[in-house]
Amino acid sequence: MPTGAAIRCDRIWRGARLATLAPGRPGLGVVQDGLVAARDGRLLYAGPAAEAPAFDAPRIEDCAGRWITPGLIDCHTHLVYGGDRADEFEQRLSGVPYEAIARAGGGIVSTMRATRAASEADLVAAALQRLDALIAEGVTTIEIKSGYGLELETELRQLAAARALGAARPITVTTTFLGAHALPPEANGDADAYVDRLIAEMLPAVAGAGLADAVDAFCEAIAFSPDQVARVFAAAKALGLPVKLHADQLSNLSGAALAARFGALSADHLEHTDAAGVAAMAQAGTVAVLLPGAYYFIRETKAPPVDLLRAAGVPMALATDCNPGTAPLTSLLLTMNMGATLFRLTVDECLAGVTREAARALGLQERIGTLEAGKACDLAIWDIERPAELVYRMGFNPLHARIRSGR
Ligand code: DI6
Ligand code: FE
């Protein structure tokens, strides 16, 4: 490398095939003989080696033809919780439906009890096992929701545990307050009064502590009504927090349209969303976050309206939904396989769904999700011959190296 006029950087990867996911390039934005240069944790260049300016770096890696993608992004998880629900899984195997278990005081409320009983250190230790499984597959950013405390102190503890995970491992963590996840037993069935308290006490405290990057809710017959969700969203927006929604997972309450009405970053699940909901999302620029792991695990039979979403140009992200009840899943690679097999997404859609579109679902599209100059140097380097292998194989991890912020 020439040194005189060369641009100084920290690290160069050469001899790589790139899936840049950059908008403006067709498909995955493939570059066959690619070069990536990084300085101070950011990409200076990612593109054809032949068009690269001269760079000078103390560290130059030869990728020997390996593929580089953006670091993977899991944009919808409930990673932090106490206990597990293997017992409930056995009940469901013998025929008891998820909603019946929830109505009988199990489900989310059973995890709430275990989470309330756990210290922050307990929560972090349990979640680290799950986080490490995701990291081992090249995940460099993760969204983590609260929603198993259902009272202020535990919700704050869950969010603090999520933030602590981001300090314990080299990963970017975004946090989402999901106080409107389920009704706790002490609310005695009065969801309106619980929402009143959530708005008056919980939300301002969470926002004041700076512990949430967004606000989510579960809009469902077994959870909160569209009117209650609308009240939560109005309060969140008044505090300057973006919103997202668990929408139309088990039934169609027009959650997608509700999310769109509040300019939500994303509407998630969407199994029962109709054409009007899709149109509203397209209009609002709300991302569809599809969660095939939950669909698979609860043996849902109605798939989200992928054809409608695609036709309307709604960006589609894919995420694990990692949670103890409906998706005890810690693999984004398997999630992509499920997205393709169960929802008929293409390979390109699956890969965009865990990178570029997942970034958009978190409002981080200017900072991560593609290999473009100026974005974070978050990379996954794979021992594969073609990108389809990342979607095609099940239970196999071809990650060669993972780089987060250039390291
Ligand atoms: N939808 C889900 O799939 C999870 N939460 C939600 O709102 C389930 C959470 C659980 O069962 O613990
Ligand atoms: Fe979820």
mmCIF file of all heavy atoms in Angstrom, residues 8 146 193 209 311 325 344 398:
data_model
loop_
_atom_site.group_PDB
_atom_site.id
_atom_site.type_symbol
_atom_site.label_atom_id
_atom_site.label_comp_id
_atom_site.label_asym_id
_atom_site.label_seq_id
_atom_site.Cartn_x
_atom_site.Cartn_y
_atom_site.Cartn_z
ATOM 1 N N ARG A 8 -5.170 7.342 6.118
ATOM 2 C CA ARG A 8 -4.889 6.542 7.308
ATOM 3 C C ARG A 8 -6.189 5.969 7.872
ATOM 4 O O ARG A 8 -7.207 6.664 7.946
ATOM 5 C CB ARG A 8 -4.231 7.426 8.375
ATOM 6 C CG ARG A 8 -3.730 6.674 9.596
ATOM 7 C CD ARG A 8 -3.351 7.639 10.719
ATOM 8 N NE ARG A 8 -4.509 8.413 11.204
ATOM 9 C CZ ARG A 8 -5.434 7.942 12.043
ATOM 10 N NH1 ARG A 8 -5.351 6.701 12.484
ATOM 11 N NH2 ARG A 8 -6.435 8.702 12.433
ATOM 12 N N SER A 146 -38.913 -4.525 28.209
ATOM 13 C CA SER A 146 -39.346 -4.887 29.561
ATOM 14 C C SER A 146 -40.714 -5.576 29.407
ATOM 15 O O SER A 146 -40.996 -6.156 28.381
ATOM 16 C CB SER A 146 -39.426 -3.648 30.441
ATOM 17 O OG SER A 146 -40.462 -2.782 29.984
ATOM 18 N N ALA A 193 -57.695 1.228 34.739
ATOM 19 C CA ALA A 193 -57.000 1.819 35.889
ATOM 20 C C ALA A 193 -55.499 1.543 35.813
ATOM 21 O O ALA A 193 -54.678 2.406 36.163
ATOM 22 C CB ALA A 193 -57.576 1.252 37.199
ATOM 23 N N ALA A 209 -35.710 8.354 33.959
ATOM 24 C CA ALA A 209 -34.481 7.612 34.247
ATOM 25 C C ALA A 209 -33.668 7.390 32.977
ATOM 26 O O ALA A 209 -32.552 6.855 33.041
ATOM 27 C CB ALA A 209 -34.818 6.275 34.905
ATOM 28 N N ALA A 311 -46.133 -6.010 -1.859
ATOM 29 C CA ALA A 311 -46.733 -5.221 -2.943
ATOM 30 C C ALA A 311 -46.844 -3.747 -2.551
ATOM 31 O O ALA A 311 -46.699 -2.856 -3.391
ATOM 32 C CB ALA A 311 -48.108 -5.788 -3.304
ATOM 33 N N GLY A 325 -42.358 -17.582 26.607
ATOM 34 C CA GLY A 325 -43.670 -18.193 26.370
ATOM 35 C C GLY A 325 -43.911 -18.639 24.946
ATOM 36 O O GLY A 325 -44.407 -19.744 24.703
ATOM 37 N N ARG A 344 -42.396 -17.634 3.287
ATOM 38 C CA ARG A 344 -42.020 -17.518 1.868
ATOM 39 C C ARG A 344 -41.282 -16.224 1.532
ATOM 40 O O ARG A 344 -41.455 -15.644 0.458
ATOM 41 C CB ARG A 344 -43.243 -17.672 0.962
ATOM 42 C CG ARG A 344 -43.897 -19.031 1.125
ATOM 43 C CD ARG A 344 -45.093 -19.227 0.211
ATOM 44 N NE ARG A 344 -45.703 -20.525 0.461
ATOM 45 C CZ ARG A 344 -45.318 -21.664 -0.112
ATOM 46 N NH1 ARG A 344 -44.343 -21.665 -0.984
ATOM 47 N NH2 ARG A 344 -45.914 -22.801 0.194
ATOM 48 N N PRO A 398 -22.031 -20.687 10.449
ATOM 49 C CA PRO A 398 -20.789 -20.496 9.698
ATOM 50 C C PRO A 398 -20.077 -19.174 9.994
ATOM 51 O O PRO A 398 -19.262 -18.723 9.176
ATOM 52 C CB PRO A 398 -21.274 -20.538 8.244
ATOM 53 C CG PRO A 398 -22.644 -19.963 8.293
ATOM 54 C CD PRO A 398 -23.212 -20.256 9.666
#
